[in-house]
Amino acid sequence: MPSSRDLLQRFRPAGAPGAATATGVPVDRSDERAAELAAVFALLEETVAEAERVRAAAATQARERRDRARERALATLARARLDAEAVRAQTVAEARDTIASARRQSSAGAELRGQEIEREADRTRGQDVIQVVAAVRDLVVGPDRTGGSA
């Protein structure tokens, strides 16, 4: 490290104002400054190397995390596709069951209605036969003139 006198020497005036003197070339002090800072930079080399190691480790860790996240996302997507297929199959099965149940209910309703029609026909059949016979008699023999029915 330079002494305080050397540091102050940098700021020493080149000359007092006054009469002209022999011209001189300014002193190039860049070598002195480089030598002065070389020790500081030498001390920082280890820190810079450590920073590079940390940066490289962080980049590797980030890449590994990104790869793991991608693998988890692909696995989740595959599970979701399988689940979607299962839900789709379940929905189709439920729809088929609903349609079959509606068909059975409709068929049962039609069967009941048919039975009601049969009972109504059995109940009114005798009266219907009497009306048909009377209509045929009227066609064959002519209308009953007595006003009564046979």
Side-chain angles (χ1 to χ4, degrees):
M1 282 298 260
S3 67
S4 59
R5 181 169 190 237
D6 292 336
L7 288 173
L8 292 175
Q9 186 67 21
R10 290 186 192 165
F11 303 108
R12 188 178 67 139
T21 60
T23 57
V25 177
V27 176
D28 183 14
R29 301 207 187 263
S30 61
D31 289 339
E32 291 176 9
R33 278 182 246 143
E36 183 179 320
L37 293 176
V40 174
F41 287 139
L43 292 173
L44 289 176
E45 282 180 14
E46 186 178 325
T47 305
V48 169
E50 179 65 22
E52 285 298 321
R53 283 192 299 273
V54 168
R55 191 177 299 120
T60 301
Q61 186 179 26
R63 193 171 28 260
E64 290 171 354
R65 284 182 180 180
R66 189 172 39 252
D67 291 344
R68 283 193 307 266
R70 184 179 298 118
E71 289 171 6
R72 282 194 311 267
L74 290 174
T76 301
L77 181 62
R79 275 194 312 273
R81 285 183 177 150
L82 288 175
D83 291 348
E85 285 298 322
V87 168
R88 194 174 297 124
Q90 181 181 358
T91 302
V92 167
E94 289 173 359
R96 285 182 181 155
D97 289 346
T98 301
I99 290 170
S101 175
R103 190 178 308 139
R104 284 191 300 273
Q105 287 175 351
S106 176
S107 180
E111 183 70 29
L112 288 175
R113 180 70 180 131
Q115 289 171 358
E116 288 174 12
I117 291 172
E118 243 179 69
R119 282 192 296 272
E120 181 67 20
D122 287 345
R123 191 175 56 78
T124 62
R125 186 172 293 130
Q127 187 68 23
D128 293 341
V129 169
I130 292 171
Q131 289 175 353
V132 168
V133 169
V136 169
R137 186 176 345 131
D138 287 345
L139 287 173
V140 173
V141 178
D144 184 11
R145 299 195 199 295
T146 61
S149 50

